[in-house]
Amino acid sequence: MGGGINTHRDLVLYRKAVVFVSSIYKMTQTFPAEERFALVSQLRRASVSVPTNIAEGSARNSTKELIQFLYISLGSISEIETLLQISKNLLYIDDILFIKLNKDLSELRKMTSSLICRLKT
């Protein structure tokens, strides 16, 4: 990967994304049982997608491939934003948690976009 970065684990972005996954898992434990195979499953899958795509892209042989996987992570971040809005609308999460998770997502989006820009130059 270069620039003092040996693996995906060296990226602050990756570490923050892993912590975010834990937040999503904890939050969805409180969702109604009937959402287990719907919102819960999709939120968890999308959140796991963010750090796993960072890791997979980092293991690839080219910067171009890493950028491609980072774009996939950005797509997952947008998916999570949508799913969180739906969860809030259904009153599965309160305003405070919604704001906190969206703040975390915004940070992940900015960090991912910033890394993409750096890699493109």
Side-chain angles (χ1 to χ4, degrees), residues 7 92 110 116:
T7 74
Y92 296 157
K110 286 176 189 171
I116 290 169

Side-chain angles (χ1 to χ4, degrees), residues 72-89:
I72 294 168
S73 288
L74 282 176
S76 295
I77 289 168
S78 292
E79 181 180 357
I80 296 163
E81 285 174 337
T82 302
L83 294 166
L84 287 175
Q85 183 65 58
I86 293 166
S87 298
K88 181 181 174 287
N89 292 352

Side-chain angles (χ1 to χ4, degrees), residues 7-109:
T7 74
H8 59 279
R9 290 182 298 276
D10 295 323
L11 293 169
V12 173
L13 168 61
Y14 169 80
R15 294 193 304 266
K16 285 183 180 270
V18 169
V19 169
F20 183 79
V21 171
S22 299
S23 298
I24 292 294
Y25 267 73
K26 288 175 189 167
M27 176 199 68
T28 55
Q29 288 174 345
T30 66
F31 279 37
E34 66 265 17
E35 292 295 349
R36 183 172 168 216
F37 298 107
L39 277 175
V40 170
S41 177
Q42 259 192 276
L43 270 163
R44 289 179 175 186
R45 181 196 54 75
S47 68
V48 167
S49 174
V50 177
T52 56
N53 276 295
I54 294 165
E56 185 171 352
S58 297
R60 297 296 177 125
N61 288 328
S62 73
T63 300
K64 182 180 176 185
E65 285 183 291
L66 172 55
I67 291 169
Q68 178 183 353
F69 279 90
L70 291 171
Y71 276 120
I72 294 168
S73 288
L74 282 176
S76 295
I77 289 168
S78 292
E79 181 180 357
I80 296 163
E81 285 174 337
T82 302
L83 294 166
L84 287 175
Q85 183 65 58
I86 293 166
S87 298
K88 181 181 174 287
N89 292 352
L90 294 171
L91 305 176
Y92 296 157
I93 58 174
D94 63 27
D95 289 342
I96 294 168
L97 183 56
F98 178 76
I99 290 166
K100 187 228 181 286
L101 291 171
N102 271 295
K103 183 179 173 218
D104 293 345
L105 273 176
S106 179
E107 183 179 16
L108 289 173
R109 178 186 303 286

